Amino acid sequence: MSLTPEQEALIDFPLENCVFVHGSAGTGKTTAALHRLIRILTERPDEVILILLPQRVMGSGLRQGLEKTQAYNPGRVMLTTMNSIARRMVALFWPIISENAGFLHPYAPPHFLTLETSQFYMGKLVNPMLAAGAFSSVSIPRNRLYSQILDSVNKSALVGFPLTEIYERLSNAWTGSPAQLNVYRDVQTAANTFRDFCLENNLLDYSLQVELFRQFVWAEPLCQRFLKSSYQHLVYDNCEEDPPYVHDIISEWLPDFKSALLILDENAGYRRILGADPDSALRLKSNVSATMQFSHQHLEPQMRAFKRSIQPKPESQALGINHADVRQALRLPPKPARFFPEMLEQTAEIVQQLINEGTQPGKIAILAPYLPSAMGFAVQQSLSVVGIQSTVLRPSIPLIENPVVQQLTTLSQLAHPTWPLFPDPARVTSALSASIAGLDLVRAQLLCSDLLIKNSEDFALLPFAAATELLRPRIPPETAACYDTLRLWLEKTIPDEPLDLFISRLFGEVLTRPGFGYFQNTSAAQSTAILMESFRKFRLSLNPTELVDSDQINQDFIRTIQDGVIAAQYLRDWELEDESKVLITPALTFLSSGKTVDYQVWLSAGSSGWYERLEQPLTQPYVLSRNWPDGKKWTTEEEKQVSLEILDSILNGMLNRCRRGVILGLSEFGQSGQDEKGLLLIKIQNLLREIAKGGSNA
């Protein structure tokens, strides 16, 4: 790809400068940054570069590009996030800061909590509150209750207000029922209790890591000298997706870099729910010596026309819209679908047509506002019917929603009959069907009916020889042999074996052998690795006083998974790109990945999920931000305005990452039977009416 004049100007700009580059996604900012990095590596062979990102996954393009160049030296390039820097520096300077930070045992080592273990401890503290009547007016699953309280706790650190002000900020903006104020009081109580518990036990959740870094480590001259001497050049990409505390640190740090490149995507900030603050990122412009704007879109003419027509601006209206290009960019189903399954069938047929025309499956992304497990499965099934392979990317969902995780936890329960965690017979059926090749759900259910013992005191699988005369002819001999092999292996479980080792042996010694369900199944291997990594982090972050024995830790972990704990993000989720498979993912996940495709499918285009905020009765990302004035009320007008901004931002982001065309998934009724007539559909209908009239340049 040839470089644009904008890109060449940035690459050639003197290295002794701090440059702020802004523009829409897809204008080549990161590509230019890659070439500038190569220039630094070539011309300054002894100097170290810090590549800072909101999420490490956002740096995959830069990392892959650098690895292909001869100038690349891993020892001279640090690709990381400010959160990783904060954790590393807190651990390094712990002996200096711990005594003044309020910990009960300042001379004992800290224990860093993951997202999963933070929810585990929050659950232990909140469950007694629930039993006493707290949060009585809130009807959301417990895992979401834990995560939303943690979200409010995290906002205090990311934004920079005292933890004790959560109730005040939320209640001052509330305009609804007074009963909600009691919920906010419960949130404040839970937040205070959780913080006290962490200080008493040397537990560092995400919020404490950030606070310790901001208030103690960064304020320590020795720390600043250490960091500032470690790196000579900075490339900070997607700064709009970071919270304000990161911008505060970078503002102070910039003068100490020999060169700096700050990159901002306009009309982005997709991670606002996690504290992203584009307005705060814009403050960085005042700390640089030069500013550049990138405006050249690397899109096909039809996509540029579609973008201008569906997001009209005065300048584009003056130029007029080529409606023939718009028709080429927008693919509609041959007839309106009435129900969700019919929409999926139509979508699969259009995707099949694109592939038959020469489009690589990996250049097609199927996007939805939300992607629950049932929906992801239904989309994959509709594609498989027409012979199309696909992969689902849904990071940060409850681990138990992963079918492989569910199967492995069920098999773990079967292997430990002394646990007070009886497996659900339906999940045993599913686990057996998935574990043994060729065993369908019907036969697996018959096996469970005959051979699964479950009473108030015990549960176990009986040998196949104990099956009834009616069942035996219905199970092929090779399937029965695999069943007995699995059953015998589970019976010989090593007592008190750590769960990650148990799962590793189960996977390697049984499930991946010929005749079993995970044989040559790379997707199952990926999910198994994530479960094992999650357990290891869970075990390592536990307070030593809670390490009673391995078996109890195993039980606590299984119970936490079954409670629906929200999973942390794992890089391997994002890195396994397969050009032979269509990508199925939520729209915001796609936008965070930085991926660009030839075609996008917008499923359920009439859904209000494209712009409505998730229900969050225990937190509020807009109120708990630096931009919200003290005492201002959150009204329906603010909600409407935010919905319009969200839709505009998501729509702009998707169009900037689509080269050739959009396929609409439309149905009169959504997956749950609701009538779908949302704002995105209205925009599209208005555009189609304009095209039908002929338009100015049709």
Side-chain angles (χ1 to χ4, degrees):
M1 179 187 295
S2 60
L3 298 174
T4 66
E6 297 167 337
Q7 291 173 316
E8 291 178 344
L10 175 60
I11 296 166
D12 296 335
F13 203 76
L15 293 181
E16 295 75 18
N17 286 272
C18 293
V19 187
F20 186 93
V21 177
H22 61 103
S24 298
T27 52
K29 303 184 298 300
T30 301
T31 300
L34 173 61
H35 284 79
R36 189 169 174 86
L37 280 167
I38 296 172
R39 180 186 167 195
I40 295 173
L41 289 169
T42 304
E43 297 182 8
R44 307 290 176 88
D46 299 322
E47 296 175 352
V48 183
I49 305 169
L50 172 63
I51 302 178
L52 194 65
L53 303 152
Q55 293 177 291
R56 286 183 62 193
V57 64
M58 292 180 173
S60 58
L62 286 175
R63 185 183 66 254
Q64 292 168 7
L66 287 172
E67 290 173 350
K68 295 176 182 177
T69 66
Q70 292 183 345
Y72 178 60
N73 180 350
R76 292 184 51 214
V77 180
M78 170 63 77
L79 190 151
T80 189
T81 67
M82 186 61 77
N83 296 332
S84 295
I85 291 176
R87 174 169 175 158
R88 182 164 57 90
M89 298 304 291
V90 167
L92 183 63
F93 287 88
W94 176 258
I96 297 177
I97 67 171
S98 57
E99 191 167 5
N100 295 325
F103 288 90
L104 185 61
H105 307 288
Y107 303 111
H111 302 278
F112 293 90
L113 300 183
T114 64
L115 176 61
E116 289 102 328
T117 47
S118 293
Q119 292 174 84
F120 169 72
Y121 282 116
M122 181 63 77
K124 294 183 68 172
L125 299 172
V126 168
N127 286 340
M129 294 178 59
L130 293 171
F135 304 103
S136 57
S137 61
V138 178
S139 57
I140 59 175
R142 290 199 178 193
N143 64 296
R144 288 187 59 200
L145 189 145
Y146 306 152
S147 63
Q148 287 188 26
I149 297 173
L150 285 170
D151 185 72
S152 290
V153 172
N154 292 339
K155 290 293 191 298
S156 71
L158 299 177
V159 174
F161 62 84
L163 179 75
T164 53
E165 288 186 6
I166 293 175
Y167 168 76
E168 179 182 348
R169 287 172 174 257
L170 292 175
S171 60
N172 285 346
W174 180 249
T175 58
S177 168
Q180 180 65 22
L181 301 182
N182 294 327
V183 174
Y184 292 151
R185 287 192 183 92
D186 293 337
V187 171
Q188 185 68 71
T189 300
N192 295 345
T193 304
F194 180 70
R195 174 58 56 85
D196 291 342
F197 180 82
C198 289
L199 292 174
E200 290 169 4
N201 295 278
N202 282 30
L203 302 176
L204 274 63
D205 70 309
Y206 176 47
S207 68
L208 256 180
Q209 293 172 39
V210 171
E211 285 196 14
L212 291 176
F213 180 65
R214 286 176 52 246
Q215 298 179 13
F216 296 94
V217 178
W218 181 252
E220 177 64 42
L222 180 62
C223 165
Q224 290 205 19
R225 286 198 300 272
F226 176 82
L227 277 177
K228 291 175 180 179
S229 64
S230 299
Y231 311 104
Q232 287 73 53
H233 303 273
L234 170 69
V235 173
Y236 183 14
D237 202 358
N238 292 112
C239 60
E240 77 286 343
E241 300 296 338
D242 256 335
Y245 97 90
V246 181
H247 307 141
D248 295 341
I249 299 293
I250 293 300
S251 294
E252 297 180 31
W253 197 350
L254 272 179
D256 297 281
F257 288 103
K258 291 184 178 180
S259 79
L261 173 59
L262 314 178
I263 304 173
L264 177 140
D265 274 4
E266 295 172 346
N267 200 25
Y270 308 114
R271 301 169 73 245
R272 285 182 187 270
I273 192 173
L274 299 177
D277 193 334
D279 294 333
S280 173
L282 285 171
R283 294 185 292 123
L284 297 173
K285 289 178 67 175
S286 61
N287 299 89
V288 301
S289 54
T291 300
M292 295 184 180
Q293 182 174 17
F294 278 32
S295 57
H296 181 79
Q297 287 281 335
H298 296 269
L299 301 175
E300 297 292 331
Q302 68 268 23
M303 282 306 301
R304 287 199 292 270
F306 181 38
K307 182 180 176 183
R308 288 198 304 268
S309 62
I310 201 168
Q311 290 187 299
K313 296 180 180 179
E315 58 268 27
S316 63
Q317 289 178 338
L319 293 172
I321 303 298
N322 188 323
H323 287 172
D325 281 344
V326 176
R327 292 190 193 96
Q328 184 181 354
L330 185 61
R331 295 203 179 197
L332 300 172
K335 61 178 182 178
R338 183 166 176 80
F339 298 107
F340 186 82
E342 184 183 355
M343 177 191 69
L344 295 186
E345 292 174 7
Q346 293 177 344
T347 299
E349 291 172 0
I350 296 177
V351 171
Q352 183 185 37
Q353 181 182 351
L354 291 175
I355 294 174
N356 291 339
E357 292 171 357
T359 303
Q360 285 185 313
K363 298 298 182 184
I364 302 173
I366 298 180
L367 310 179
Y370 309 118
L371 194 65
S373 297
M375 184 175 181
F377 178 77
V379 178
Q380 280 196 297
Q381 286 295 102
S382 66
L383 293 175
S384 66
V385 167
V386 294
I388 299 173
Q389 291 186 312
S390 60
T391 182
V392 177
L393 176 60
R394 296 189 307 147
S396 296
I397 62 166
L399 279 172
I400 198 64
E401 287 193 22
N402 183 316
V404 174
V405 170
Q406 192 175 112
Q407 293 150 17
L408 291 173
T409 54
T410 301
L411 292 175
S412 300
Q413 290 173 278
L414 286 172
H416 297 85
T418 59
W419 289 358
L421 302 168
F422 285 16
D424 187 318
R427 290 191 173 177
V428 175
T429 297
S430 176
L432 289 178
S433 175
S435 301
I436 301 173
L439 180 62
D440 58 72
L441 284 171
V442 174
R443 289 181 173 84
Q445 198 278 329
L446 292 173
L447 278 174
C448 285
S449 298
D450 257 24
L451 302 176
L452 176 64
I453 295 176
K454 180 180 179 183
N455 52 49
S456 60
E457 298 179 354
D458 194 16
F459 57 88
L461 290 173
L462 296 175
F464 184 74
T468 62
E469 294 294 334
L470 290 175
L471 176 61
R472 290 181 191 178
R474 302 188 63 176
I475 306 297
E478 60 274 15
T479 300
C482 287
Y483 166 83
D484 275 332
T485 299
L486 176 62
R487 183 191 63 80
L488 287 170
W489 192 96
L490 294 175
E491 276 189 358
K492 297 176 181 178
T493 300
I494 301 173
D496 296 333
E497 181 180 26
L499 192 64
D500 56 338
L501 298 182
F502 166 82
I503 291 172
S504 177
R505 290 196 309 108
L506 173 63
F507 183 83
E509 296 176 12
V510 182
L511 298 180
T512 53
R513 289 167 52 186
F516 289 88
Y518 294 1
F519 178 64
Q520 296 183 339
N521 187 334
T522 56
S523 177
Q526 172 75 4
S527 298
T528 303
I530 287 175
L531 180 62
M532 291 167 58
E533 182 178 347
S534 179
F535 174 78
R536 283 193 290 269
K537 290 181 176 179
F538 180 86
R539 182 178 57 191
L540 290 173
S541 61
L542 285 176
N543 189 330
T545 61
E546 306 218 12
L547 301 181
V548 181
D549 56 59
S550 294
D551 196 56
Q552 186 59 50
I553 297 173
N554 294 345
Q555 291 183 50
D556 286 343
F557 179 74
I558 294 294
R559 188 178 291 108
T560 301
I561 295 298
Q562 292 182 335
D563 283 345
V565 63
I566 304 297
Q569 290 189 356
Y570 295 91
L571 278 178
R572 60 173 62 92
D573 281 345
W574 305 78
E575 292 177 340
L576 296 177
E577 292 189 9
D578 190 340
E579 292 299 317
S580 67
K581 295 181 179 180
V582 173
L583 175 65
I584 306 168
T585 187
L588 288 178
T589 299
F590 176 79
L591 295 176
S592 296
S593 72
K595 186 180 177 69
T596 299
V597 294
D598 288 344
Y599 291 95
Q600 293 174 4
V601 178
W602 297 351
L603 282 185
S604 299
S607 170
S608 60
W610 291 102
Y611 52 88
E612 285 186 347
R613 293 190 306 114
L614 287 170
E615 180 190 9
Q616 292 181 292
L618 310 182
T619 188
Q620 223 285 13
Y622 290 88
V623 170
L624 298 181
S625 73
R626 286 190 186 177
N627 305 318
W628 191 255
D630 291 341
K632 183 178 179 180
K633 301 295 184 182
W634 182 265
T635 65
T636 54
E637 289 303 314
E638 273 74 29
E639 192 71 52
K640 290 178 182 177
Q641 182 61 34
V642 163
S643 294
L644 293 173
E645 291 173 359
I646 291 174
L647 177 59
D648 182 63
S649 177
I650 290 178
L651 189 55
N652 185 70
M654 292 192 301
L655 292 173
N656 287 334
R657 292 168 174 82
C658 184
R659 298 187 189 94
R660 302 183 63 185
V662 170
I663 298 100
L664 289 185
L666 297 170
S667 62
E668 184 177 347
F669 299 100
Q671 187 179 18
S672 53
Q674 76 279 10
D675 191 11
E676 295 202 326
K677 295 180 180 179
L679 296 179
L680 176 58
L681 180 59
I682 292 173
K683 273 180 172 284
I684 294 168
Q685 288 174 333
N686 290 338
L687 173 60
L688 294 176
R689 291 191 189 98
E690 184 66 24
I691 292 176
K693 293 178 184 177
S696 58
N697 290 328

